[in-house]
Amino acid sequence: MLKSTVVQSNKPSKGMKQLTTVMKSLQGASVDIGYFDGEIHKGSEMSLATLMTLMEFGSNDGKIPARFPFETASSTDNPKNNNVLRKKIKSGLTSTTKTSNPNKLLDLIGEHYVDAIGSLFGDTTRLLSNAPLTIALKGKDSPLIERGELLSKLSYRKPKKEKR
């Protein structure tokens, strides 16, 4: 979750008034990253959202290890520590200020996190490797990738604003 605070002076400038308007337009706005249409994964007969939850947190019996791509991306791609994301947010705020439409900023954030999470799929330097049997069955060590369904269907959406 991104949070911000705007502190105004006694004599706000035109730019500060615009920024305050933009920040108000963003109140209650959000971006969700994941799987939303209930589509079924061909190999498992589970919904993509259910399968990804299993991949994220692992199975209770320990046969499927937790890999945490969503948690990893959200912790490593924090705007405080990520200059690329900070620049995207700044660009999106500038665009929003000019157009009074927050959708550009929300799209930039959604696209960034879809890319950040997607970049973890198959990355054994950042995710736990597959078990030897799984590698033998797949023919490669690519955690979270079998046929690419989870990766190709990862997306974002902008839900309707919450009423305050």
Side-chain angles (χ1 to χ4, degrees), residues 27-47:
Q27 280 185 320
S30 65
V31 177
D32 297 333
I33 314 296
Y35 306 92
F36 309 107
D37 61 5
E39 187 173 345
I40 301 299
H41 180 259
K42 290 177 179 62
S44 68
E45 300 298 317
M46 288 187 249
S47 71

Side-chain angles (χ1 to χ4, degrees), residues 1-2 33 56 67-79 81-82 85 109-121 126-127 154:
M1 172 179 280
L2 302 176
I33 314 296
E56 179 83 14
R67 292 211 166 81
F68 307 113
F70 282 77
E71 185 176 316
T72 299
S74 67
S75 65
T76 59
D77 279 32
N78 182 317
N81 306 324
N82 184 322
L85 179 55
I109 292 169
E111 291 164 4
H112 175 84
Y113 280 103
V114 166
D115 290 345
I117 294 165
S119 74
L120 293 169
F121 282 59
R126 297 174 66 196
L127 296 177
L154 181 62

